[in-house]
Every structure is written in C-alpha cells, then in structure tokens.
Amino acid sequence: LDKEDNLRFRKTYLDMHFYDQSTFYLTLDAEERQKLYGILQPNEMGDMFDTLQDDLPEIPDFLLEMDVKYAADMLNYMYDDNAADVLEHLDKSHVDEFLEQMPKADANNLRGLLHYDTETAGGIMTTDYVEFNESIKAGEAIQDLRKFAETAETIYYLYLLDDHKDLVGVMSLRDLILQKPEVNLRDVMNTDIISVNVDEEQEEVAKVFRDYEFLAVPVVDHANHMVGIITVDDVIEVIDDEAQQDYSGLAAVNVDESEHDGPLKAASKRLPWLITLLLLSMFTATLVNHYEGLLAQASILAVFISTITGTAGNAGTQSLAVAVRRLAVDEIDKSDFFKLIGKELLTGFVTGFVTGVSVFLIVGIWKSNFVLGFVIGLAMCAAIMVANLAGSLIPMMMASFGFDPAVASGPFISTLSDLTSVLIYFSIAGVFISHFVGS
Amino acid sequence: LDKEDNLRFRKTYLDMHFYDQSTFYLTLDAEERQKLYGILQPNEMGDMFDTLQDDLPEIPDFLLEMDVKYAADMLNYMYDDNAADVLEHLDKSHVDEFLEQMPKADANNLRGLLHYDTETAGGIMTTDYVEFNESIKAGEAIQDLRKFAETAETIYYLYLLDDHKDLVGVMSLRDLILQKPEVNLRDVMNTDIISVNVDEEQEEVAKVFRDYEFLAVPVVDHANHMVGIITVDDVIEVIDDEAQQDYSGLAAVNVDESEHDGPLKAASKRLPWLITLLLLSMFTATLVNHYEGLLAQASILAVFISTITGTAGNAGTQSLAVAVRRLAVDEIDKSDFFKLIGKELLTGFVTGFVTGVSVFLIVGIWKSNFVLGFVIGLAMCAAIMVANLAGSLIPMMMASFGFDPAVASGPFISTLSDLTSVLIYFSIAGVFISHFVGS
C-alpha cells in the first residue's frame, strides 16, 4: 500500500460509524492490525475501542500487541469508564505499565475507577461529564459547553455545583437552549435531583433509568460530592447482563458460556451443576429404594414415577420463575411475603387439584382402576402444591438472606421436588396399596 | 381545600419529577383523581401520563373517568408514541370518541401509528422529531431548535431531508454546537445513516441501539421517506419485554402473569402448560408400562428412573438455554447450524461421559453391583447426549421455521427427554438384565 492508498483508506475508515469500524477491526489478523495502528492516531483508535464490547476475550491481546505509549494514549483518550472496563481484564503489571505512560492526574483518575466494584454505580460511571458553578449564566454555559463537547461522554446534561463542590442542580441542554442568555442557571436549574450513590448496585441504577427515563444520572459519594455520571448506553449493558444472569440461573448454566467456548470448556461449565444435581437426585433414588418392597408388590407404581416427579417439577419451575422475576422488580417486605406465600399456596392448590383430577380420570380409565387413579391423582395434587410452594419460598428466603434468588434454578427446584414428590407418592400408595392391588 | 391550598399543591406537584408525579397519582382514589383533573391542565397531566407504564391495567379507566375533551387534549399533548400505546388498550369506539375531539391532522397522525403492529419499529416510533431541509445553516438550526424543544421527544438529533423529503443526513446537537453559525449543515452532516425500516421487528431495533449506542434512530418507509424516530427509553422497554419473554418461555409460564393476578387467574395461566406437559408425560408412563415385565423381574430398576430422567432433563435444559440465548443474539446460517450441532453433540458426550462414570461408581459401590452401575451409567450417558442434542436442535429448528425459539421451554424439553431417557434406560437394561439380576 502506498501513501495515497493509506490516505484513501483512512478517509473511508473514519467516515464509518465507530461500531462499523469495530466490526471491521475484528476481521483483521495480527499483521493487518499492526498496519492499522500505523495509519490511525491513538485517539481515532480510542473512538473505536469505546464501542468495542469490553468483555471480548481478545481485548487484552489487542492492547499488548500495541506499542505501550500508543496504547496508553489511546486509553487516555477513551471515555474513562470504558478505559477502566478494558483495564479490568489485564494483569496488574500491564495495567501499571500503561498508567505510567499517562499524565499523573489521568492515571490517578483511572486508578480511582478501577478501585470500585464492577457491578456498582462506581464501576460503571464515567468522570467525563459537564459541571459548572451554579452562578453561571445561560449564555456563558452554552459557550463553555463547546469545550466539553470534545471530551465529555454526554453534554446533554449540565451538573451545577455550589462553592463547596456539592451537587445542587441539574439542567438538560434542552432546557438550557430555551433560556435567555442573561439568565442565572441557579434560578432555573432543577433542584429536585435524582442521583445514585457510588456504592449502589447496578440493578438499582437500572431501575432509576427505567422509572425516570433519563439519559444520564449523577453519581455522588457519601458526602453528596459529585464523583461521576452514568449514561444510558452503559445501563443497556447492565440490563442485558442482569437478564442474562436471571435467564442462565433459571436453566442452571453459567452466565459466561460464550459461543467461542469449545465443547470441553462448555462441558466444564455445565458439569458442576449437573453433578451437584445428580448427587441431590441420588437421595431420591435411595428413597425409592426404601420403598422397593412396595414396588415389588405393585410394579405398576413405577409407571407413574416420572409422570408425578416431572409434572410437579414443571409446576415448581413455574412458581420459581414468577417469584424470581418479582424479586428482580420489587423489594418485598414482611407483609407482602405472607400474602405472596398465601397466594402461591392457593395457586398450587388450584393447579394441583385440576391436574390431579385429570390424572385421576386418565389413569382410572386407562387402567380401569379408579382407586389407582385416585392414588396417583392425590399424590400429584399434593406433590404440585409442595413444589409450587418450594418454588416461591426458596428464592424469597434466599433473597432475604442476601443471596441472589436467581441461583435457585429451575433444575434445582425440580430435582428437589423429585424427592418430595416420590416421598408423597409412596406414602399415599402405601396407605391404599391393599385397595388398588386387589381390585 | 381552598384556592390557596390548590395553588400551593399545584406548585409542589409540578416541581416533582414526572415519575414521582405518577407514583403519587397511582395512590389516589377516584374522587381525589377528579380533584386533580380540576387542578391540572391537560398538558400537565400529559407529561405525567407520558411516564406512566402504558400496560397498567387501570389506564383505560383513568381515561374514561376524565371529561372527553380533557382526555383528548391530554392525549394530543402527549408524545404520540405514548398516546398511541395508551389508546391501544381502549375499545375502538372510545378511541374514535377521543380522536374526534382532536384537530384532524393530529387524529390522523395517531390513527397512522395505531395501524402499525405494536412489536415493530412502527409500533414504538414517535413522529415528534426534529427535521430540517439539508440547506439550513448551523446558526439558523440552533435558533429553530427552540421551537421544537417544546414538542419533539428528543432534540439531540437533527434529521436532514432533501427537497424530495428523503432522509439524507443526521447530525447530533453535540456536533451542531461545535459548528460555526454560517456553516451549511449539508456540508458537515453525517451521511452514513443507520436507520430502521418501519416494519422491522422490535428486537432488531434493540440490536441497533446496543451496537451503535445511539440515543435515537430514524425510521424510514420502503421508499426511504422518514416517518419517525425511536428513542432509547422505548428501547429499554423493548429489552425488558424481550428478556421477560425469553425468561417466561424457559419456565413455561405466560409472560403476562402480573402481581395483581389472584390465585385463580394465575392458575388459569399456568394450567394449559401443565396439562399439555402432563399429557406428554403420559406417553412416558405408557412406555414404562410397556416394560412392566422387566420391572417385575428387577424392581431395582425403578429406583433410578427419576435419577436418569431428572439428570437428562437438566442437561437438556442447559443446552436449550444456551441455544435460545444464542438465537436471540445472532442470526444463525446453515454452516453455523452444523457447527453448533456438532459442538453440542461433543458437549453432550463429555457431560454424559463424566456424569455416566460418576453414576457408575456411585451405584456400583452403593449396590455392590458394577453391572447394574454400568447399565445405569451407560443409560445416563446416552440419555444426556440425546437430551443435549434435543435442547439445541429443537429451538434451532423452530427458529428456522419462523417460530419463536423461546416457546420451546425447559419443562417441555425435560418432559420430552423423560420419554427418550426411559426408552434408552429400559432398552439397555433389557439387554443386560440377566447379568445384573443374577449377580
């Protein structure tokens, strides 16, 4: 490639959206990437890296293949929340190497961000925001905004501080351009400030965005000093992450199984769950074993084991999913707790009763044995009620002890409910055995 | 309440964020709400209704209790996507009643929006956006923006049309304020326009926002005429809805079970799934019934039915969740299809093998019968492989036939895998029965 080609390429590349640049970048091999680093300035590379998903497994390699100074300049140019997200996936020694190449203030700023837990407001915030003293006039603010437009992650909200650097007002650019230039922002700013604390969980942050439909929210420390803002694009990532976690939890797979994992890696992520559940299911086996005498007397009982355990497990999974979802959306206090349990008991009774009657009829007619049908139906009804209750009680108890309720997965509930279903089934069968074996 | 109280209340109320106003509004009873309609102008009420969740079951009642003219004015003042969302939950006769009270143009605009499928770009877009002819200068555009600031849903993007009303450029307010007033926007606007078609599915729209991190995206019709924009707040709702649907599908519960549903209603939503799955599980029962002779010979076989069906079901649920999640994120073409199936087969083999060996050891040692252990282990391995494959094949086949893969729920896969697991189990046991019963 000669010079002119490079220039033509530069223009085409830089005219693309950052996301399209990143899609292109990911198709390159190591040699082509080196050529790209030669053609593009660190800041141009930084724009693209701002859009790259920070959890791509290749990102550490990308950084380490760059010249150290180039990488440091790029990181310094990036929005600091994204730079921190990238650095989080590197070894401490490499992080230090990059930070040493930066101006002290910027390096310390990034070090500060790296120090927050990744799943809190501090972990997703940026310090690249627009702040003014509250005494500024509207006209000046618009003038000064131009300075921020190059570096701030959003200029659509202005944060107004008093002389003690306390956050005292917020103003949107939309409201600002409606003001006369000579107006003091102090007199027109919004003082009913919705902010989040730097230690707030990211789910709580997402709730604020959902409810208030903001594009950005200020983050304050315990002394109400403003330390950063969170922008809506980062919140979309949080919502995706949370949904992914809930979903994965329900199916007992690890959140982080990626399409790039080979079969061995995928299996190694699924096996811990499977083996744990297998061990739990061995208790069910010993329970059935305990009733071997009953089974020898009436091998027909074996026919309906999987019907009862399966259906009760399905019912338990349903009530689990409803409970986990509710816990994700609302805080549940004591009085709600008993109301919900009461409701789930009744729901379990209705579903159990209807399903039990269906099974009673099916089995009764099929086997021309309505006593057997009654036993299976009664066991089904009781097993569903217990599974339903467990499905809502267990996640609520986990939440009240501070665990993530989504860890109580569907497979866990259905394996657990196998145990109680088998116990209920054989207990009831034991009582009636003389009636249905004889008939 | 006398006049002064009303005035004081008005001030306090209007100083609140719209979301806080809506929280307050939802605590009022019918009489208090009437009082509120007397105190607030339709536009002030509209700001709050813009923030109300449009799927609240009470919303139709709220509208119908208002004076028709007041409600129509409020709807007309609201952003038209939100007004359309509200009207969607009303009877056609009531919709017409409200629309008749509005200026013709506004009514027709709303009628147009109501006509789009709710889960497409057209169904979530607003027509309240900022458009200019591309020949406008930066300074004029900033001046003219003030007019839009009252009505447009966002003023942070300007859409530039040519003389044929075709969308030819986009510009952010951030870039605009960096321009000199005399610059022609035509010369500096972004012409690499990412837009969505009005018929695009809402999931696809969400992907555009995720990738490009835009705050709004233009919507065009088939002739590339601009018809509206979609803003990021509506996309957050879409992402939440989609996550909710995937999650509910995985657990075989209906998406729309709400916390306000009583036990009967909740049960009536869960029962269709449960009964369908029950009928499916009766096939498993008849299969076990078919092997009753084998069970009579060796009742020990009954002990491990639920272990094998349960574990295979868990493995199937895992691979299902991985497949559904992948389908939600990526389009999968033919070559990927076979690669994924191959990978899932290998993953199934590894998980099946490790789980099978575990069971072989546990059962062999527990029962001092390694032939029995071998039978259970082999059956477990085969059952897991089949369930794994079904868990990924079924959603992929559903997707390729145009169904939502999330409908293939975890309970469905595990109930189906009960059937294959039992078949595998008894077939293998039948071959080896003389060896482990005798020993």
Side-chain angles (χ1 to χ4, degrees):
Chain A
L1 286 164
D2 60 23
K3 244 200 170 149
E4 206 174 308
D5 278 345
N6 275 357
L7 275 175
R8 209 173 310 133
F9 167 81
R10 248 185 79 84
K11 179 157 170 36
T12 318
Y13 176 90
L14 292 175
D15 275 349
M16 290 197 283
H17 285 276
F18 300 144
Y19 172 72
D20 298 324
Q21 294 177 1
S22 74
T23 310
F24 168 75
Y25 177 75
L26 291 176
T27 64
L28 302 180
D29 62 28
E31 205 181 314
E32 293 165 331
R33 287 198 301 270
Q34 284 302 341
K35 222 175 257 168
L36 194 67
Y37 304 145
I39 297 173
L40 298 173
Q41 299 295 318
N43 61 338
E44 292 159 347
M45 191 53 78
D47 282 334
M48 186 271 281
F49 261 73
D50 268 328
T51 323
L52 268 188
Q53 272 196 294
D54 58 67
D55 54 358
L56 281 185
E58 303 92 330
I59 286 199
D61 297 336
F62 292 157
L63 282 175
L64 298 178
E65 75 188 8
M66 293 177 193
D67 174 79
V68 179
K69 178 70 183 141
Y70 185 93
D73 283 354
M74 179 188 85
L75 286 164
N76 196 19
Y77 181 81
M78 287 170 68
Y79 295 130
D80 57 8
D81 55 340
N82 297 330
D85 287 345
V86 165
L87 288 174
E88 232 137 53
H89 296 92
L90 291 179
D91 296 338
K92 217 198 148 310
S93 63
H94 288 126
V95 172
D96 288 341
E97 216 178 323
F98 291 131
L99 292 183
E100 266 165 34
Q101 300 282 331
M102 296 184 191
K104 260 232 166 78
D106 296 328
N108 282 338
N109 188 24
L110 274 178
R111 264 200 200 96
L113 284 181
L114 281 170
H115 151 94
Y116 293 111
D117 184 344
T118 46
E119 302 209 334
T120 63
I124 52 176
M125 74 181 183
T126 174
T127 60
D128 298 325
Y129 60 90
V130 179
E131 62 170 42
F132 289 117
N133 187 287
E134 55 171 336
S135 61
I136 198 168
K137 288 190 200 310
E140 296 168 54
I142 289 188
Q143 283 303 320
D144 288 0
L145 258 190
R146 288 170 217 253
K147 280 185 289 182
F148 284 101
E150 282 291 332
T151 54
E153 192 158 341
T154 180
I155 61 157
Y156 299 140
Y157 289 97
L158 287 61
Y159 299 95
L160 298 147
L161 311 184
D162 64 13
D163 296 332
H164 307 95
K165 293 270 175 194
D166 284 351
L167 175 63
V168 291
V170 181
M171 185 140 207
S172 68
L173 178 53
R174 180 188 191 124
D175 288 339
L176 179 64
I177 68 167
L178 289 177
Q179 303 299 331
K180 299 212 169 69
E182 64 276 12
V183 162
N184 274 314
L185 291 196
R186 181 191 282 130
D187 302 326
V188 288
M189 67 190 185
N190 191 335
T191 54
D192 180 12
I193 303 164
I194 306 290
S195 62
V196 295
N197 192 284
V198 72
D199 293 326
E200 195 81 76
E201 299 275 340
Q202 61 177 6
E203 300 92 300
E204 299 301 316
V205 176
K207 271 182 205 163
V208 172
F209 276 84
R210 271 195 198 104
D211 290 342
Y212 290 95
E213 303 186 354
F214 292 142
L215 301 178
V217 159
V219 183
V220 295
D221 66 13
H222 296 277
N224 198 36
H225 289 122
M226 185 158 176
V227 291
I229 62 166
I230 294 168
T231 52
V232 69
D233 54 316
D234 297 318
V235 167
I236 288 184
E237 264 178 61
V238 168
I239 292 176
D240 278 337
D241 283 357
E242 295 294 324
Q244 178 85 350
Q245 278 178 27
D246 283 356
Y247 186 84
S248 304
L250 193 61
V253 275
N254 266 318
V255 219
D256 54 348
E257 184 170 332
S258 105
E259 52 187 316
H260 308 292
D261 289 344
L264 267 181
K265 188 137 192 202
S268 74
K269 286 174 176 176
R270 297 185 200 173
L271 271 168
W273 271 104
L274 274 188
I275 299 286
T276 310
L277 293 170
L278 170 70
L279 295 178
L280 186 57
S281 83
M282 290 311 296
F283 287 103
T284 311
T286 57
L287 193 65
V288 183
N289 190 54
H290 174 76
Y291 287 105
E292 222 190 326
L294 209 59
L295 275 166
Q297 253 180 291
S299 58
I300 185 77
L301 286 176
V303 170
F304 299 102
I305 291 178
S306 69
T307 309
I308 291 182
T309 57
T311 308
N314 293 342
T317 305
Q318 289 183 326
S319 82
L320 171 82
V322 172
V324 168
R325 209 57 216 157
R326 187 151 310 147
L327 287 166
V329 177
D330 294 313
E331 298 295 320
I332 289 184
D333 62 29
K334 275 258 164 58
S335 73
D336 284 341
F337 184 87
F338 289 106
K339 226 179 83 192
L340 279 173
I341 293 297
K343 187 197 136 184
E344 216 36 72
L345 258 176
L346 277 171
T347 308
F349 176 73
V350 177
T351 48
F353 182 77
V354 175
T355 314
V357 169
S358 313
V359 165
F360 163 71
L361 291 172
I362 295 171
V363 173
I365 292 167
W366 175 28
K367 291 279 161 191
S368 314
N369 185 338
F370 283 92
V371 181
L372 180 66
F374 177 76
V375 168
I376 313 283
L378 186 63
M380 180 74 93
C381 176
I384 286 179
M385 284 184 66
V386 171
N388 239 41
L389 195 63
S392 57
L393 251 183
I394 290 177
M396 281 205 255
M397 275 165 34
M398 290 182 73
S400 74
F401 287 122
F403 294 104
D404 180 357
V407 174
S409 66
F412 173 72
I413 289 292
S414 61
T415 306
L416 193 70
S417 107
D418 283 355
L419 191 72
T420 56
S421 301
V422 161
L423 184 65
I424 290 168
Y425 180 37
F426 285 106
S427 304
I428 293 177
V431 171
F432 290 91
I433 185 140
S434 57
H435 297 90
F436 66 82
V437 170
S439 72
Chain B
L1 285 165
D2 61 23
K3 254 220 163 130
E4 204 175 309
D5 280 343
N6 277 355
L7 276 175
R8 209 173 310 135
F9 167 80
R10 249 185 78 84
K11 178 156 171 35
T12 317
Y13 176 88
L14 292 176
D15 276 349
M16 288 198 284
H17 286 275
F18 300 145
Y19 172 72
D20 297 323
Q21 294 177 0
S22 75
T23 310
F24 167 76
Y25 176 75
L26 291 175
T27 64
L28 302 180
D29 62 29
E31 205 181 314
E32 293 165 332
R33 288 198 299 269
Q34 286 302 339
K35 224 176 257 167
L36 193 67
Y37 305 144
I39 297 174
L40 298 173
Q41 299 296 317
N43 62 338
E44 291 158 350
M45 191 54 76
D47 282 334
M48 185 271 279
F49 261 74
D50 269 328
T51 324
L52 267 188
Q53 271 195 293
D54 58 68
D55 55 356
L56 280 184
E58 303 92 329
I59 286 197
D61 297 336
F62 292 157
L63 282 174
L64 298 178
E65 75 187 8
M66 294 178 192
D67 174 76
V68 180
K69 179 71 186 138
Y70 185 94
D73 284 353
M74 178 188 86
L75 286 164
N76 196 19
Y77 181 81
M78 285 171 68
Y79 294 129
D80 57 7
D81 56 339
N82 297 331
D85 287 344
V86 165
L87 287 175
E88 231 136 53
H89 296 92
L90 290 180
D91 296 339
K92 216 197 146 311
S93 63
H94 287 127
V95 172
D96 288 338
E97 216 178 323
F98 291 132
L99 292 183
E100 266 164 37
Q101 301 282 331
M102 296 185 191
K104 258 226 169 80
D106 296 329
N108 283 337
N109 188 26
L110 274 178
R111 263 199 203 96
L113 285 180
L114 280 171
H115 153 93
Y116 294 111
D117 184 344
T118 46
E119 301 209 335
T120 64
I124 52 176
M125 73 179 184
T126 174
T127 59
D128 297 327
Y129 59 90
V130 179
E131 62 172 43
F132 290 116
N133 187 287
E134 55 171 335
S135 61
I136 198 168
K137 288 191 199 309
E140 295 167 54
I142 290 189
Q143 283 302 320
D144 287 1
L145 259 190
R146 285 168 220 253
K147 280 185 290 181
F148 284 101
E150 283 291 332
T151 55
E153 192 158 340
T154 180
I155 61 158
Y156 299 141
Y157 289 98
L158 287 59
Y159 300 95
L160 297 148
L161 312 184
D162 65 13
D163 295 333
H164 307 96
K165 292 270 173 193
D166 283 351
L167 176 62
V168 291
V170 180
M171 185 139 207
S172 69
L173 178 53
R174 180 190 190 122
D175 288 338
L176 179 66
I177 67 166
L178 290 177
Q179 303 299 330
K180 297 213 169 68
E182 65 277 11
V183 162
N184 273 314
L185 289 197
R186 182 190 282 131
D187 302 326
V188 288
M189 68 190 184
N190 191 335
T191 55
D192 180 13
I193 303 165
I194 307 290
S195 63
V196 296
N197 192 283
V198 71
D199 293 327
E200 194 80 79
E201 299 275 341
Q202 61 177 6
E203 301 91 301
E204 300 302 315
V205 176
K207 272 182 204 164
V208 173
F209 276 86
R210 272 196 198 104
D211 289 343
Y212 290 95
E213 303 187 354
F214 292 140
L215 300 178
V217 159
V219 183
V220 295
D221 66 14
H222 297 278
N224 198 35
H225 289 122
M226 185 157 176
V227 291
I229 62 166
I230 295 168
T231 51
V232 69
D233 53 315
D234 297 317
V235 168
I236 288 184
E237 264 179 60
V238 169
I239 293 177
D240 278 336
D241 282 358
E242 296 294 323
Q244 179 86 350
Q245 277 178 27
D246 284 356
Y247 185 84
S248 304
L250 193 61
V253 276
N254 267 317
V255 220
D256 54 348
E257 183 170 334
S258 104
E259 53 188 314
H260 308 293
D261 288 343
L264 267 182
K265 188 138 195 203
S268 74
K269 286 175 176 175
R270 297 185 200 173
L271 271 168
W273 272 104
L274 274 188
I275 299 286
T276 310
L277 293 170
L278 171 69
L279 295 178
L280 186 57
S281 82
M282 289 312 295
F283 287 103
T284 310
T286 57
L287 193 65
V288 182
N289 191 54
H290 175 76
Y291 288 105
E292 222 191 325
L294 210 60
L295 275 166
Q297 253 180 291
S299 59
I300 184 78
L301 286 176
V303 171
F304 299 103
I305 292 178
S306 69
T307 308
I308 291 181
T309 57
T311 308
N314 293 342
T317 305
Q318 288 184 326
S319 81
L320 170 82
V322 171
V324 169
R325 210 56 215 155
R326 188 152 311 149
L327 287 166
V329 177
D330 295 314
E331 297 297 320
I332 288 183
D333 60 30
K334 276 256 164 60
S335 72
D336 284 343
F337 183 86
F338 291 106
K339 225 179 83 190
L340 279 173
I341 294 297
K343 187 197 138 185
E344 217 36 74
L345 258 176
L346 278 171
T347 309
F349 176 74
V350 176
T351 47
F353 183 78
V354 174
T355 315
V357 169
S358 312
V359 166
F360 163 70
L361 291 173
I362 294 171
V363 174
I365 292 166
W366 176 27
K367 291 281 164 190
S368 315
N369 185 339
F370 283 93
V371 181
L372 180 66
F374 176 75
V375 168
I376 313 282
L378 185 65
M380 180 74 93
C381 176
I384 286 178
M385 283 183 67
V386 171
N388 239 41
L389 195 63
S392 58
L393 251 181
I394 291 176
M396 282 203 256
M397 275 166 35
M398 292 183 73
S400 73
F401 288 122
F403 295 104
D404 180 357
V407 173
S409 66
F412 174 70
I413 289 292
S414 61
T415 306
L416 193 69
S417 107
D418 284 355
L419 192 71
T420 58
S421 302
V422 161
L423 184 64
I424 291 167
Y425 179 36
F426 284 107
S427 305
I428 293 176
V431 172
F432 290 92
I433 184 140
S434 57
H435 298 90
F436 67 82
V437 170
S439 68

